Every structure is written in structure tokens, then in C-alpha cells.
Amino acid sequence: MATMGCARFDDFPDRLRTTLKAADHRQRRKHPSWKGKYKLGDAKGSKDLGAIKRQAKPQSNFREVSNLDTFLFGAGGKMKEIFSFENLYEAYRMTRRGKRAKSCVIRYELHALEATKFLADRISDRTYRMGKCIEFTVHEPKKRLIRAPLFRDRVVQQCLCKHILEPELDHRLIYDTYACRKGKGTHKGLDRLEEMLRKHYRKNGTSGYFIKGDIAKYFKSIDHKELKNRMYPLLSKHKIEWILDQTIDNEQGVGINLGFQSSQWYANFYMSSFDHFVKEKLKVKHYIRYMDDWMAIVDSKEEANRILLEMKRYLKSELKLDTNKKTQIFPVKNGLDFLGFHTYLTDSGKVIRKIRRSSKQAMNRKMKTFKKKYKSGRITKDQIDRSYSSWTGHASHGNCYKLRIDMDKKYKEIFKED
């Protein structure tokens, strides 16, 4: 029988040792009075990383295990497993980006190694259960109730998306699906729309018709059984249905939780069969979908009416979804509101891209709010700068030079009295 030994810092793989030392160094810099609180063993009498590194000999008060893999990842666990300690710790670091000042992140960060090890153990022995969600309301672009998971559950979902959902589902989507995919955001979708309009112009000029579609209450309408029937066979080799069930069935009855990262992949995948139907059965050449919004360019109004009717039939019969009043047909020469911009063709074939009127109005309201809050001291210049830089970066993807000049003037007026 093998001799029981102690897991020491020097026994850790090089990559993991580097990660742990860097984490310890950052924690000490951030909390100088809080030294050596990282713990890798039991809560009672564990040594901090510095002590473990300095002392080469095994420590009697450090939990004894038969091997390092068992210590880190639970019985039967291996380094390359999807929900390993290393993968979960990487997911934690990705999840905390931009949120390190929040109390839930700080609490996790103070005991990040123990908390991550706890998650790895719970998933390994299948006792992990999601906690109660936090509810809040957002008002932009419209009023929505969001149910956000606890930070530890966000870490698990980050790992789930990166190591299972993305590699298993992404390659099953058509090229022109633009949502929660690497390198395929709104601006990439806009560039693709511009390319399609140019191709259409070379063949048809400014004639032709847009089909613009939108699903009514999409996330709340996704059928759990239908989603599982389509997705679970593709993921069966991973044996994680028990985790997927928790993320899908978190909403009772019909619909999935808008606040879950995994829900973005579920929602994008759910309509992938519709994408293949449009491209392969209806033979629509110019087609783009961004989550539940889609657009197509066809040659005639008769063709547009026929295709839209077939689209609605498929959505209702196969996916149990309905379109809303935004779904309509209109001439190409009128332009299209899509992905935050109004895009249209000129008679010479040039593609013009302008920020939508609603987006301009929203930014004007925000600038007025910034001015009031800055005068009363409720917001800092750095916070305003971050928000405004984000908007100008978005506007730079359109033909919005004059608009940006006007907004720059309003931005400078906020700090005029400084």
C-alpha cells in the first residue's frame, strides 16, 4: 500500500504554482494587513502559501492525501478534467474582470483558493447545487427583470461555457450568426451586412426587399424540453446533464434565465435549426441573425412574403416561437435598423451607416444626467470618461462625424466649471 504523503507547494505543477504565487502577491498588495490568509487545506491550521514555499518538509497540520490530483480535484479527478481546480480558478479570474470592487467578488477573492477547491470537490462528487438568484431591474434598452446567479455560480457557468458549450456548439452554428461568439459581435455583423448590400447592389441596384424579424419575448418563450432534446445528444459524452438541468430549469415552466451566461449559448443554439432551414431549404443567400433578431435580403416583394410565411410556420411548429410587430417587409432603398445602426444604400451603391435615432436620444439623456450627477458629486470624471469612451468607440463604426463633434461639445460642458 502506498505511503500517505503531504501535498506541498513544491509538488504543484509549474503553471499552477505560478498562478498561486501571483494570486498571493496581488492579495498581499491589496490587503497589507491581511497576510497569509490563502488556505489550501482544511480550515483549521492550514499554512499560507509563503510558509508552504519556505518549508520544504511535509507539515503535520496540512491535510494528508494519497496524491496531488486527489487533493486538488477530488477522488478520481485528473488535471485535464473540465471542472478541474485549474479550469475553475481560471474561470474565477475571468469572471471577476471589471467587478473586483463588488462585495460578492471581494468575499470570494479573500478565500479564492479554498472556494475554488470547494467548487471542484462539489462538482466532482455531484453535490453542487446552484444558489438563490439575485433579482434586479434594468431599464436600458427596455425594462427587464434580471435574475443574476451568485458569484460562485457565475464561476461554474464561465467554466461550462468555455470548456463545453463553446467548443461543442459553436461549430454547429452557421457563419452568419453573430452573438456571444469570439470575433463575431455587433460590429462584425454590421460589416457583413455592408458586404451583403454591396453584392446585392451589383446585381439588383437599390431594388429588392428586406425581411426583418424579431421574436416576441424570446428568452421567456424557449421550451425546456425542446432545447434539451436538441442539445443534450450533442453533449452526452461529457455526462453533465445534471448541471445543465440546473441552469435550464432555474426558470419554472417555459423560458430560460436572461441573467445566466449559459443562457446566451442556449438561446443562440436554440434557433440554429431555423438558420439552417432558411439557408438550406428556403435558399436565402443574404441572411444574418443576432440572437433573436434576423434580417434577409431578397429580390422581390412576392418572394419576401413567401419566405416570411415559411419562416413563421417553422418557428411556430418546430420551436414554439412567435414573431412580434417588429417583423416586417420593406424596400432596400429605405434602409434597415439593425444592430444599433441605420444602414442604407445610396443610388451610387455606397453603404451609409448612421446611429439610430433612439440611440442618439438615449445618449443625450445620459449626458444631461452625467452633468447633474457630476455637479452634485454623485459621479466621478473617471466614471463618465469610461462610459463616454465606450459610446464614442461604438459611434466610430458608423458615418457619424458631425454627431461625435456635437457630443464632444456636450461632454466638455460637463467639466466647464472645473
Side-chain angles (χ1 to χ4, degrees):
M1 183 174 179
T3 304
M4 295 289 283
C6 295
R8 296 177 299 166
F9 183 85
D10 292 336
D11 293 330
F12 283 53
D14 291 342
R15 182 180 171 190
L16 185 55
R17 269 193 313 198
T18 303
T19 300
L20 300 183
K21 285 191 290 186
D24 185 57
H25 178 66
R26 284 192 301 272
Q27 194 66 29
R28 289 168 183 271
R29 289 183 62 186
K30 189 174 181 181
H31 304 283
S33 62
W34 185 79
K35 296 181 179 180
K37 298 294 183 178
Y38 277 120
K39 299 175 183 179
L40 296 177
D42 290 328
K44 296 181 180 180
S46 296
K47 297 293 185 180
D48 64 88
L49 288 179
I52 294 171
K53 184 179 179 182
R54 289 191 298 271
Q55 300 174 25
K57 61 181 181 180
Q59 302 298 310
S60 59
N61 59 354
F62 203 62
R63 183 170 59 180
E64 293 188 343
V65 293
S66 57
N67 58 64
L68 185 61
D69 280 349
T70 304
F71 171 72
L72 287 176
F73 314 120
K78 295 182 179 180
M79 182 71 73
K80 294 183 180 180
E81 286 188 354
I82 290 167
F83 291 102
S84 66
F85 175 90
E86 190 175 35
N87 286 345
L88 284 168
Y89 192 83
E90 181 187 11
Y92 145 68
R93 295 185 66 183
M94 293 176 65
T95 307
R96 75 181 183 181
R97 289 178 183 173
K99 308 177 185 71
R100 296 187 70 175
K102 293 188 176 181
S103 59
C104 61
V105 181
I106 293 172
R107 285 195 299 270
Y108 190 101
E109 190 169 24
L110 290 175
H111 302 282
L113 299 179
E114 281 187 324
T116 306
K117 173 62 171 59
F118 178 82
L119 282 177
D121 285 345
R122 297 291 78 76
I123 294 174
S124 177
D125 58 22
R126 296 192 173 220
T127 57
Y128 165 77
R129 297 293 180 270
M130 287 187 62
K132 187 177 180 181
C133 294
I134 303 167
E135 295 186 357
F136 59 93
T137 304
V138 296
H139 299 274
E140 291 290 342
K142 60 184 179 182
K143 187 176 180 180
R144 286 192 179 105
L145 176 66
I146 305 296
R147 298 178 65 248
L150 301 178
F151 183 78
R152 67 178 179 86
D153 297 328
R154 278 180 266 166
V155 171
V156 174
Q157 290 195 28
Q158 177 74 244
C159 190
L160 173 68
C161 291
K162 181 177 180 180
H163 295 285
I164 296 180
L165 298 184
E166 181 179 344
E168 293 291 348
L169 301 181
D170 185 78
H171 68 280
R172 302 177 190 279
L173 305 176
I174 67 169
Y175 180 85
D176 289 312
T177 296
Y178 298 86
C180 66
R181 302 176 73 186
K182 287 183 180 178
K184 291 195 173 183
T186 56
H187 299 136
K188 182 68 174 179
L190 287 166
D191 292 341
R192 183 67 168 155
L193 171 60
E194 185 174 331
E195 180 185 338
M196 290 180 177
L197 282 172
R198 288 201 176 102
K199 288 182 179 179
H200 178 82
Y201 179 83
R202 286 196 289 270
K203 182 181 178 181
N204 302 290
T206 57
S207 63
Y209 285 83
F210 283 120
I211 303 174
K212 183 182 178 184
D214 194 9
I215 303 296
K217 299 180 179 178
Y218 180 47
F219 278 78
K220 292 184 178 180
S221 303
I222 293 176
D223 185 79
H224 293 187
K225 185 178 179 180
E226 190 66 36
L227 174 61
K228 292 176 182 179
N229 288 341
R230 292 175 181 273
M231 186 174 65
Y232 279 17
L234 308 178
L235 308 176
S236 58
K237 65 181 181 181
H238 297 292
K239 308 297 182 185
I240 56 159
E241 288 83 355
W242 65 280
I243 292 181
L244 299 176
D245 282 342
Q246 293 184 56
T247 60
I248 294 172
D249 297 332
N250 190 268
E251 289 285 331
Q252 299 297 322
V254 179
I256 57 178
N257 196 323
L258 184 60
F260 287 7
Q261 182 181 354
S262 57
S263 294
Q264 308 302 312
W265 275 103
Y266 299 155
N268 207 11
F269 172 76
Y270 191 67
M271 282 189 67
S272 63
S273 64
F274 173 73
D275 299 335
H276 288 282
F277 172 75
V278 172
K279 298 290 287 184
E280 297 162 15
K281 300 295 184 182
L282 300 182
K283 306 295 182 183
V284 178
K285 186 175 182 181
H286 301 310
Y287 166 82
I288 295 174
R289 179 174 67 85
Y290 189 92
M291 201 57 78
D292 62 325
D293 297 334
W294 78 88
M295 79 90 215
I297 307 173
V298 296
D299 295 341
S300 67
K301 191 171 185 178
E302 292 73 19
E303 184 183 6
N305 283 320
R306 177 184 63 80
I307 289 174
L308 181 57
L309 182 61
E310 292 294 331
M311 287 176 168
K312 289 182 176 180
R313 284 176 179 170
Y314 183 89
L315 289 169
K316 186 67 176 178
S317 62
E318 299 293 329
L319 300 178
K320 303 177 182 178
L321 298 173
D322 294 307
T323 57
N324 60 24
K325 61 182 180 181
K326 296 178 186 177
T327 303
Q328 52 190 313
I329 297 169
F330 45 87
V332 166
K333 61 184 178 182
N334 288 3
L336 174 71
D337 279 351
F338 194 60
L339 302 180
F341 286 85
H342 181 77
T343 307
Y344 62 93
L345 271 172
T346 65
D347 292 334
S348 63
K350 184 177 180 180
V351 179
I352 305 296
R353 193 187 295 168
K354 300 281 190 180
I355 284 185
R356 289 189 302 186
R357 183 180 301 174
S358 58
S359 298
K360 295 179 195 176
Q361 294 171 346
M363 193 58 196
N364 279 320
R365 289 194 299 269
K366 188 175 283 189
M367 296 299 278
K368 291 178 181 178
T369 303
F370 284 160
K371 191 172 183 178
K372 292 178 182 178
K373 287 187 175 182
Y374 185 72
K375 283 184 177 180
S376 61
R378 289 181 291 163
I379 194 171
T380 64
K381 184 177 185 300
D382 185 54
Q383 290 173 308
I384 296 174
D385 286 346
R386 286 200 298 269
S387 178
Y388 185 65
S389 295
S390 176
W391 181 86
T392 54
H394 175 66
S396 67
H397 288 269
N399 306 95
C400 311
Y401 178 76
K402 290 184 178 179
L403 174 63
R404 290 168 65 188
I405 293 296
D406 291 340
M407 285 296 178
D408 282 342
K409 292 179 181 178
K410 294 178 181 179
Y411 167 77
K412 291 175 182 177
E413 286 179 4
I414 298 174
F415 312 106
K416 185 171 58 176
E417 298 177 2
D418 287 0

